[in-house]
Amino acid sequence: MCGLMLIIVLCSWIGLMLFAKYSTCDPVGADIIKSPDQILPLFVMEVLGKYPGLPGLLIAGLTSGSLSTISSALNSLTAIITGDFVKHYRPDYSEEKLAVISKSISTVSGITAFALVFVIAEVNKTIQISPFSTLLHGSLLGPILGAYALGMFFPFTNELGTILALTVSVLLSAFVGLGNIFSGRAGLLPDQKLTLSTDGCLLANYTIDDFGKNSIMSRCVGDWKEDHANDSFFLKIWSISYLWQPAIGTISTFLLGIIFSGIIVIIRKNSGPKVNESLLSTPFLKLWKVVLGQKYLDKWVDYDSPPFTGDPSAKLRRNNNELANLNSNHKENQFSVTVL
C-alpha cells in the first residue's frame, strides 16, 4: 500500500512538472504532438535530450513498467486458473504436471492478449471501448475488495449478506461509470482541466497566420463550478472521476455487507455457520474479542477446526497419509497375531 501511494505521488509530481512547463505552450493545441500521451516523451527529449543515454533510459523504464504490468496480470490469471480450477477438479495431479499446465495457460493467455490488441485497434476506429474497459475494471475491483475485507475483518457477516452487498455495489459503480461515459459524450459534464494556452510558444515554430490561429485556440476553462452550480444531482454524481469508482464499490460493499448480514441474522434468528479462525485477521479478531467479548465471538468463530489451507490437494494428501498409516498399523497387528 505504501509503495502504491508513493507511485501515485510521484506520478502527480510529474504531472505538476509537465503543467508548469507547458501551461503557456500547449503542445497539443500548438500541433507539436498529436496526443496528450506524447507529452512525457516530448518533455524528456526537450529537457534531457542533450544528455546521451538518459532519454533512452527513461523510455526503457516506461516500457519495462508496461511489460511488468502485463506479466503480473498473466501470472495472476495463470495462478487463479491453476489453483481454483485445475487443482480443484484434479487434486491428484503431480506438481510437475501442474507446472506444465500453468505454463501452457500462461502461453495461451499471452498469445490471446496480444491478438486482442489488433482487434481492439480496429474496433476503436468506430466504437471507443476504452472507457468501457475502465468501467468494467472500476465496477468490479472495488466490490471484490470490499467482499474480501468483509470476510477478513468481520466474523459476523454471512454469505448471503455479502452476495447482496456485492451485487448492489457492482450495480452502483456501473451506474456511476455509465453515467459518466454517456454524459461526457453528450457534453453535459464540466471541463475540469486546468487552463492551457499557446501564447508562450516560440514564433520561430510558426508562420504569423499559424501563430495567430493557434493563439485563438487557447483553452481557458473559466470557473466551471459556477457554470455547473445548477446541475442536477445525477450530473454531479456522474462527474466523479473514474478513479473513484473502485473506492465507491469498496465502501458500499463494506457498509451494505454489514447491514444486510445483520438483517439476515435477525430474520433467521441464528448466526449461521461459524468461520474458521485462520480465515480472519488476527488483529481484528483480538479487537472484536475486546469489544464484544469471547462469549459473542464463540457464536461466529470456529476455534476447533484445523487451519484452512485452501488447497484441495493438501486434503487428498492428508487422507492418503492417514490411509497409509492405517494400512501400516493393520499389517503390524497382523504380524503380531501371526507371531503369537
Side-chain angles (χ1 to χ4, degrees):
M1 180 64 72
C2 294
L4 180 60
M5 292 177 64
L6 178 61
I7 292 174
I8 294 175
V9 170
L10 291 176
C11 291
S12 302
W13 183 61
I14 293 174
L16 290 174
M17 286 196 307
L18 295 175
F19 176 75
K21 181 171 177 59
Y22 296 114
S23 60
T24 58
C25 182
D26 180 14
V28 179
D31 293 331
I32 300 174
I33 56 178
K34 300 300 182 183
S35 170
D37 295 333
Q38 300 172 339
I39 291 181
L40 183 57
L42 175 66
F43 175 80
V44 170
M45 293 305 300
E46 287 187 354
V47 176
L48 302 175
K50 59 183 178 181
Y51 301 103
L54 279 183
L57 181 63
L58 291 176
I59 298 301
L62 293 175
T63 305
S64 63
S66 302
L67 292 177
S68 67
T69 303
I70 296 174
S71 64
S72 299
L74 291 177
N75 288 334
S76 300
L77 178 63
T78 302
I80 290 173
I81 295 176
T82 304
D84 293 351
F85 294 97
V86 179
K87 280 188 176 182
H88 181 77
Y89 293 105
R90 291 293 184 268
D92 55 330
Y93 279 1
S94 63
E95 294 297 329
E96 292 78 10
K97 194 168 186 178
L98 288 174
V100 174
I101 293 175
S102 64
K103 291 177 181 178
S104 302
I105 294 173
S106 180
T107 302
V108 173
S109 302
I111 295 174
T112 304
F114 183 73
L116 286 175
V117 171
F118 303 98
V119 176
I120 294 175
E122 291 298 323
V123 173
N124 268 337
K125 293 180 180 179
T126 54
I127 303 175
Q128 291 293 326
I129 63 174
S130 298
F132 292 97
S133 63
T134 305
L135 167 69
L136 183 64
H137 181 267
S139 300
L140 296 179
L141 183 63
I144 292 174
L145 176 60
Y148 272 97
L150 282 174
M152 290 175 58
F153 301 146
F154 297 95
F156 43 81
T157 54
N158 50 58
E159 180 180 359
L160 182 57
T162 303
I163 291 175
L164 290 175
L166 192 66
T167 304
V168 174
S169 298
V170 169
L171 294 176
L172 177 62
S173 300
F175 171 75
V176 175
L178 287 173
N180 182 280
I181 293 173
F182 291 113
S183 298
R185 291 184 175 182
L188 301 177
L189 298 181
D191 184 3
Q192 303 180 38
K193 296 177 182 178
L194 297 175
T195 303
L196 295 173
S197 72
T198 56
D199 295 336
C201 296
L202 295 177
L203 278 171
N205 294 335
Y206 311 95
T207 63
I208 295 178
D209 293 338
D210 289 337
F211 184 75
K213 179 181 65 177
N214 288 333
S215 297
I216 296 173
M217 291 172 59
S218 302
R219 289 188 290 164
C220 299
V221 297
D223 193 347
W224 59 268
K225 290 185 179 180
E226 293 183 0
D227 297 338
H228 293 268
N230 297 323
D231 284 350
S232 66
F233 172 77
F234 290 111
L235 277 180
K236 293 180 179 179
I237 295 297
W238 291 335
S239 64
I240 296 176
S241 172
Y242 71 93
L243 294 174
W244 285 103
Q245 288 183 27
I248 294 173
T250 301
I251 296 173
S252 60
T253 305
F254 209 73
L255 297 178
L256 292 176
I258 297 174
I259 295 173
F260 288 153
S261 296
I263 294 174
I264 291 169
V265 168
I266 294 174
I267 294 175
R268 291 180 175 177
K269 297 181 180 180
N270 64 73
S271 57
K274 294 184 177 182
V275 182
N276 194 306
E277 180 188 8
S278 62
L279 297 177
L280 297 170
S281 172
T282 303
F284 272 80
L285 193 59
K286 294 179 180 179
L287 174 64
W288 294 125
K289 185 177 180 180
V290 174
V291 175
L292 301 176
Q294 188 64 48
K295 177 181 177 181
Y296 288 97
L297 276 184
D298 291 338
K299 297 180 180 180
W300 297 306
V301 182
D302 183 7
Y303 294 96
D304 300 326
S305 299
F308 180 79
T309 61
D311 185 2
S313 60
K315 182 178 180 180
L316 179 64
R317 289 193 298 269
R318 186 168 59 250
N319 294 337
N320 291 337
N321 292 334
E322 292 176 357
L323 182 60
N325 292 332
L326 290 175
N327 291 333
S328 177
N329 294 334
H330 181 66
K331 290 181 180 179
E332 290 178 1
N333 293 333
Q334 285 182 336
F335 178 75
S336 300
V337 171
T338 304
V339 173
L340 292 175

